[in-house]
Amino acid sequence: MKWHTEQIYFPSGGLKLHGVIYLPEGGGRFPGVVLCHGMASDYRSMRPSAQQLVRKGIAAFAIDLRGHGMSGGTLDGGIGQDVVAAYNTFKNHTRLDVERIGLAGHSLGALACLYAATVVNGARSLVLLSIPSDIGSMAEFWQPMRKQAERIGTSVLEFPRVGPLPYNGRLNQQVSRAWMIFRRYRMRIDIDHDTDSWLSLLPLPNIEKIGGIPKLLVHSKGDKWLPYEKTLALYEKAQPPKDILLSERGYHVAPLLPGALRRRWIAWTASTLKGKVD
């Protein structure tokens, strides 16, 4: 199926955010999905998934969360509101079927989509890819950056320009920085931001709030950053209807890469939004 793209800027909490809509050619109104990337990437990491969806006749809106890509601001817990703003912007598009719009996010973006699903009215599907089961590790993540900011003399850090992100292990740090440089990703963080803003993204209470929205959790058993066992606990807390996809191998970004795992969650999304698998 042929498609075209539309570059969109939309407001969220006083910020100007960026995204790209992938819209199938043809008449009528289409179901759609808001796609949200993980930490230290941008909308382009979701582009292959958007293209797979649009081939099935489903529009996709891949956004840059605050502090990422071409969006303004710095990263904080307001990313959940960014997804709400994207959803409301998307559903007002003249080619969208407002009764068939879903949400899908990877890692940090999954947390944001989960929050948004508790706020927006009428979401028809929710896909959580490699979702963190808690945000307790965020404090540990910020602390090394505070020391880095003190050395530089600024509260706002832009990665990868200022160095690697403080992931566990020097190898992980260097690999992630090299990947950001290669992909031209950027992420901005203000270490003086209100850390309480992240409390709105707590996954366990949020997933318990969602009732009748069909939801799918996707995880790789080889994910060394976010163990899949905790996703199982999150799945148990979710109300039906719900499904889970576990890959016997793979790693954190596996749900975004070519292969059976991505095909299966995209097929699930098509089935949920269109009532059939193409």
Side-chain angles (χ1 to χ4, degrees):
M1 176 176 287
K2 295 182 178 180
W3 69 85
H4 68 274
T5 60
E6 300 176 7
Q7 186 168 241
I8 301 291
Y9 287 91
F10 60 99
S12 175
L15 301 175
K16 184 179 181 182
L17 303 186
H18 167 264
V20 174
I21 292 178
Y22 298 78
L23 196 66
E25 299 286 358
R29 293 177 179 267
F30 300 100
V33 181
V34 177
L35 297 175
C36 302
H37 62 82
M39 180 179 285
S41 60
D42 60 32
Y43 85 95
R44 291 173 295 156
S45 69
M46 306 303 290
R47 181 166 55 194
S49 299
Q51 292 170 344
Q52 292 299 312
L53 286 163
V54 79
R55 288 188 178 103
K56 293 181 175 292
I58 298 173
F61 188 19
I63 68 171
D64 288 338
L65 296 168
R66 64 181 61 195
H68 291 80
M70 289 185 277
S71 287
T74 56
L75 174 63
D76 59 34
I79 57 173
Q81 289 295 335
D82 294 347
V83 182
V84 173
Y87 179 91
N88 291 329
T89 298
F90 198 33
K91 75 176 185 180
N92 288 326
H93 195 287
T94 57
R95 302 300 307 283
L96 265 289
D97 181 344
V98 297
E99 296 184 354
R100 294 190 294 166
I101 299 178
L103 302 164
H106 175 253
S107 194
L108 185 72
L111 286 178
C113 285
L114 176 56
Y115 167 84
T118 71
V119 176
V120 301
N121 293 318
R124 285 288 299 274
S125 67
L126 175 64
V127 178
L128 305 174
L129 309 169
S130 305
I131 186 172
S133 60
D134 61 62
I135 58 173
S137 61
M138 292 305 295
E140 299 175 6
F141 189 74
W142 298 125
Q143 191 57 38
M145 287 191 285
R146 293 187 184 280
K147 296 179 181 179
Q148 191 171 12
E150 290 174 1
R151 290 196 302 269
I152 298 174
T154 177
S155 67
V156 178
L157 300 176
E158 181 173 316
F159 296 91
R161 182 175 59 83
V162 299
L165 286 163
Y167 294 126
N168 290 331
R170 184 175 297 275
L171 179 60
N172 284 337
Q173 292 178 11
Q174 296 305 323
V175 169
S176 66
R177 185 173 191 235
W179 182 246
M180 289 186 74
I181 293 172
F182 174 73
R183 293 284 292 172
R184 297 183 180 179
Y185 289 147
R186 65 172 188 149
M187 181 176 70
R188 300 168 303 284
I189 297 177
D190 185 350
I191 54 92
D192 287 338
H193 79 283
D194 181 9
T195 55
D196 287 345
S197 67
W198 291 98
L199 296 179
S200 65
L201 301 180
L202 287 168
L204 282 172
N206 281 341
I207 206 162
E208 291 179 321
K209 294 177 185 177
I210 303 171
I213 302 174
K215 52 197 76 69
L216 175 68
L217 282 72
V218 182
H219 218 103
S220 296
K221 291 185 177 181
D223 190 336
K224 301 301 183 183
W225 289 358
L226 300 174
Y228 79 95
E229 291 89 351
K230 293 187 176 182
T231 291
L232 291 176
L234 194 62
Y235 173 77
E236 290 300 320
K237 291 287 186 180
Q239 300 180 44
K242 60 183 180 180
D243 290 289
I244 188 166
L245 287 177
L246 293 176
S247 171
E248 290 298 321
R249 52 183 64 87
Y251 41 97
H252 188 61
V253 299
L256 303 182
L257 301 178
L261 196 59
R262 188 176 71 183
R263 287 196 302 270
R264 290 175 68 189
W265 74 257
I266 286 177
W268 181 94
T269 301
S271 175
T272 303
L273 293 179
K274 300 178 71 177
K276 61 180 181 178
V277 178
D278 291 342

